[in-house]
Amino acid sequence: MNYDFRHITYNTSRFKLRASSVLSIFFFIISFFSFGQVKTSIDTPKIKIGEQITYQIEVEADTTDLVVFPEGQTFSPLEMIESYQVDTTKNSAKYNLIKKYGLTQFDSGSYTIPRQKIIIGTKEYFTDSLKVEVNNILVDSTKQGLYDIKPFIEVQKSSSDWWKTALIVLAVLALIAFLMYWFIWRKKPLTEEEEIALLPPYERAKLALKKLDETDYLQQSELKGYYSELTFIIRRYLDEKVYDRALESTTDELVHRLNLLKDGNQIELSKEDIRNIETILKRADLVKFAKSAPDVELAKIDRNTIDLEIDNVKQALPEPTEEEKLLDQQYKEEQARKKQRRKIIITVALSLFLILATFIGFSIKYGFDYVKDTIIGNDSKELLEGDWVMSEYGVPPIYISTPAVLERVEGKAIDSISKVAETTMFSYGTLLGSVNIVVSTSKLNIPDSTSVDLNLAVNGALEMFEKNNVRDILVKREQFITPNAAEGLKVYGSASFPTPLTDQFRKGNYVLLAFTAKNILQQIILVWDAEDQYADDIMERVLNSVELKKEE
């Protein structure tokens, strides 16, 4: 991004030449009267790169005067690394105040510590500027070995509780899988009724006769119940093996059907067997409907007769053909497939229901878009919920928290302003992206006493927007105060930003922050997609973190 500082106004060279003479005489007179009140000194005029200079201001003032010393990064191009407590001593009716600062510089060269303003009571005093030489550290390569630059060290991210969430999710999935296995896929133990139902008809009939013997019908002379069970056993066996309507037919209809099957040579059952079955069925009808009461011994004989006739019917049935056996096997396999298919359908339906219920539940609690973006993924959401970085950029520093480290912009990007300012710039993203953050610090080539119009400086950034084909720029202005009470200008609003590789435009928001101190201009530019709710949260968090200096 290019920033235009042509709107920053200052005195012409001719006016400066005349004004400098007057100002020199003025400051000479001031220093003459204030010499006895304000003194400055440094412990050494020459240091090596990174070493500390102790800058000392000594003030003599009345005990009733309020003395205000410089605060913040007012010693640029040197950087203040420590501000010491004021040392106060009393001399008669006056105070001697000594304030010390620790200064340093990490580039070699000749530097000037600018004049500092001290307020004593209601008057302002200015110290003299001081020269400082910062020298390189000489390395004797014959004694000190030279080594390659060390490779980047991979920094591990801070630990989080993601494993707890993953453990809970795995536990829930394991519980659901166990419940599905237990109630759907597990081969359940058969009940007694189910085991009996799986037996062949002949064995089932024989077992039913044994269970009839274990009842107490005959002991209690309940012949109606006894004959009902006895005739049901023979009828069911005939229904399954001989005539598929034996259970619903009357006695005469069933006997008639058996005779027809015998006459048609479909069953080799004797007339006597048919007559025995008919006799017992009619006796049972009399017991059930005419309330007849035969002797208990006769009932036992009828039971044995039914047992014998079941054997005779089995022997009278023809052997099943291979085709019938194959059809029976296919029937069993088809039933097994139907059962398996039913289990799969139930499992899929239950799984879809649980997934849908979970999605709806989380959507009600957190919102549909949040759940959708969590599942599908969203770059802005990942930025917002990722590991943020709190860092300082430029000299004097701007402290700001961002979702990613801002990268330094190379000199080619700011060549256009190199003639009027020495600028360092850091950025994340681009103007055409959904999130763009730019932090810049410029040291202007103007006298320290020249004021910087922040409105004109911000207008340069707005012109940069227009040069990048940004349209419909809505501008609002207000004062901006950081959490540590640094004041600046905030320009914000909306605009239509171009979309990459297309001729369309997208709605976006922007915020421009500008701060100034002497010949230093600090700017922060935030641009984001207006339809991205996560970008709104990102920029709000970034704005709330802006500070120009750390609290002491």
Side-chain angles (χ1 to χ4, degrees):
M1 294 183 181
N2 296 329
Y3 298 86
D4 192 351
F5 294 91
R6 292 175 297 174
H7 297 284
I8 301 175
T9 59
Y10 52 89
N11 298 329
T12 63
S13 58
R14 181 178 296 179
F15 177 78
K16 290 193 291 183
L17 183 60
R18 294 178 180 177
S20 61
S21 301
V22 177
L23 291 175
S24 299
I25 297 172
F26 173 78
F27 285 118
F28 174 78
I29 296 172
I30 291 295
S31 61
F32 176 79
F33 286 105
S34 63
F35 179 79
Q37 292 188 6
V38 179
K39 298 179 182 178
T40 58
S41 64
I42 53 177
D43 58 346
T44 176
K46 295 182 179 181
I47 61 170
K48 295 179 180 179
I49 291 176
E51 286 187 341
Q52 178 177 311
I53 299 173
T54 301
Y55 182 87
Q56 177 177 301
I57 301 176
E58 184 176 350
V59 175
E60 182 180 342
D62 293 334
T63 56
T64 57
D65 289 338
L66 175 65
V67 179
V68 179
F69 290 97
E71 291 294 341
Q73 299 293 346
T74 62
F75 301 93
S76 179
L78 272 72
E79 182 177 347
M80 185 187 74
I81 57 177
E82 189 169 2
S83 176
Y84 299 95
Q85 295 292 332
V86 178
D87 185 11
T88 306
T89 59
K90 188 174 183 181
N91 184 10
S92 298
K94 293 183 177 293
Y95 279 136
N96 286 331
L97 308 176
I98 298 175
K99 176 70 172 178
K100 294 182 179 181
Y101 302 89
L103 310 178
T104 190
Q105 175 56 253
F106 296 98
D107 291 325
S108 61
S110 296
Y111 297 93
T112 300
I113 301 177
R115 295 180 300 117
Q116 302 295 313
K117 182 173 70 174
I118 298 96
I119 300 175
I120 304 176
T122 59
K123 298 181 179 179
E124 296 181 354
Y125 298 88
F126 291 88
T127 67
D128 292 332
S129 58
L130 298 175
K131 293 285 186 180
V132 176
E133 293 286 338
V134 180
N135 300 319
N136 284 319
I137 300 175
L138 298 178
V139 178
D140 187 354
S141 60
T142 61
K143 297 180 180 180
Q144 177 65 46
L146 300 179
Y147 306 96
D148 292 334
I149 298 174
K150 293 183 177 180
F152 289 107
I153 299 176
E154 185 176 346
V155 180
Q156 295 183 350
K157 291 185 177 180
S158 57
S159 59
S160 61
D161 294 337
W162 65 268
W163 61 272
K164 293 183 179 179
T165 303
L167 189 61
I168 294 174
V169 172
L170 290 176
V172 172
L173 292 177
L175 177 61
I176 294 174
F178 173 77
L179 293 176
M180 286 187 177
Y181 164 77
W182 185 262
F183 290 104
I184 300 176
W185 292 94
R186 180 177 63 97
K187 191 174 182 180
K188 306 175 184 67
L190 300 177
T191 62
E192 183 179 2
E193 291 77 9
E194 291 174 334
E195 289 180 350
I196 294 174
L198 293 176
L199 294 174
Y202 174 78
E203 296 180 6
R204 194 184 318 123
K206 289 290 187 177
L207 181 62
L209 289 174
K210 291 181 180 179
K211 289 188 172 293
L212 180 61
D213 293 339
E214 297 172 359
T215 62
D216 55 356
Y217 285 127
L218 296 180
Q219 287 80 359
Q220 296 183 5
S221 298
E222 293 183 5
L223 296 177
K224 182 178 179 180
Y226 185 83
Y227 272 96
S228 295
E229 291 286 343
L230 183 62
T231 54
F232 178 77
I233 293 172
I234 186 62
R235 280 178 175 272
R236 185 172 63 176
Y237 180 66
L238 294 173
D239 183 84
E240 293 176 339
K241 301 301 294 183
V242 179
Y243 177 47
D244 57 1
R245 295 185 179 180
L247 287 174
E248 60 193 52
S249 300
T250 64
T251 300
D252 292 337
E253 291 173 344
L254 178 56
V255 171
H256 178 69
R257 186 68 179 181
L258 292 177
N259 286 320
L260 289 178
L261 292 173
K262 176 185 179 305
D263 296 338
N265 296 323
Q266 296 183 18
I267 182 173
E268 298 180 359
L269 195 62
S270 65
K271 289 284 186 179
E272 183 180 358
D273 292 329
I274 295 174
R275 189 165 42 254
N276 290 336
I277 294 173
E278 180 183 8
T279 301
I280 296 173
L281 291 177
K282 288 185 175 181
R283 186 178 294 120
D285 291 339
L286 291 174
V287 171
K288 289 186 290 183
F289 302 112
K291 296 183 180 180
S292 175
D295 188 68
V296 172
E297 293 300 324
L298 180 59
K300 292 180 180 180
I301 294 173
D302 289 340
R303 182 265 179 214
N304 294 331
T305 302
I306 291 296
D307 190 3
L308 180 61
E309 293 305 329
I310 290 175
D311 293 337
N312 294 335
V313 171
K314 180 183 178 184
Q315 293 176 1
L317 293 173
E319 289 291 329
T321 63
E322 293 296 328
E323 184 178 355
E324 291 175 340
K325 292 180 180 179
L326 181 60
L327 291 175
D328 185 62
Q329 181 65 27
Q330 291 176 350
Y331 174 78
K332 292 180 179 179
E333 292 176 355
E334 180 62 23
Q335 291 300 112
R337 282 195 295 270
K338 287 183 178 179
K339 189 175 182 181
Q340 184 79 1
R341 194 181 303 117
R342 185 167 57 252
K343 289 182 178 180
I344 293 174
I345 293 173
I346 293 174
T347 302
V348 172
L350 185 59
S351 300
L352 291 176
F353 171 76
L354 292 175
I355 292 173
L356 184 61
T358 303
F359 183 82
I360 294 175
F362 280 107
S363 297
I364 293 174
K365 184 174 182 180
Y366 300 105
F368 174 79
D369 292 336
Y370 181 86
V371 177
K372 175 179 66 68
D373 294 335
T374 301
I375 297 173
I376 301 176
N378 184 286
D379 294 338
S380 298
K381 180 176 179 295
E382 293 174 1
L383 279 178
L384 177 63
E385 298 179 350
D387 295 330
W388 282 54
V389 179
M390 183 68 182
S391 186
E392 58 182 88
Y393 300 92
V395 177
I398 297 175
Y399 296 91
I400 188 171
S401 178
T402 56
V405 177
L406 304 185
E407 297 182 359
R408 181 186 290 270
V409 178
E410 297 297 333
K412 294 180 181 180
I414 54 176
D415 282 345
S416 61
I417 61 173
S418 60
K419 295 180 180 180
V420 297
E422 181 183 342
T423 301
T424 56
M425 190 179 299
F426 304 85
S427 70
Y428 171 82
T430 65
L431 187 64
L432 303 181
S434 60
V435 175
N436 182 213
I437 303 173
V438 177
V439 176
S440 67
T441 301
S442 301
K443 182 180 179 183
L444 307 178
N445 296 327
I446 60 175
D448 295 347
S449 59
T450 303
S451 62
V452 179
D453 190 337
L454 292 181
N455 284 290
L456 294 178
V458 170
N459 287 342
L462 294 175
E463 290 182 2
M464 178 273 300
F465 281 175
E466 294 177 351
K467 291 179 181 178
N468 284 275
N469 201 25
V470 179
R471 302 177 181 177
D472 305 327
I473 303 176
L474 177 65
V475 180
K476 300 179 182 179
R477 301 173 188 260
E478 65 181 31
Q479 186 184 34
F480 183 82
I481 301 177
T482 66
N484 57 353
E487 297 183 5
L489 175 65
K490 177 183 178 181
V491 176
Y492 63 99
S494 60
S496 297
F497 293 87
T499 303
L501 304 178
T502 65
D503 296 333
Q504 298 179 350
F505 288 79
R506 61 180 174 83
K507 197 68 175 178
N509 297 323
Y510 72 90
V511 172
L512 308 177
L513 301 180
F515 307 90
T516 183
K518 292 189 177 179
N519 60 345
I520 301 296
L521 176 64
Q522 298 168 301
Q523 287 184 297
I524 299 174
I525 301 179
L526 308 177
V527 178
W528 69 97
D529 193 342
E531 297 180 356
D532 191 339
Q533 59 178 347
Y534 305 108
D536 289 338
D537 296 336
I538 290 173
M539 293 311 184
E540 182 180 0
R541 184 171 172 181
V542 171
L543 282 174
N544 293 334
S545 70
V546 173
E547 293 184 3
L548 296 190
K549 66 182 183 67
K550 290 285 187 180
E551 294 185 1
E552 297 180 1

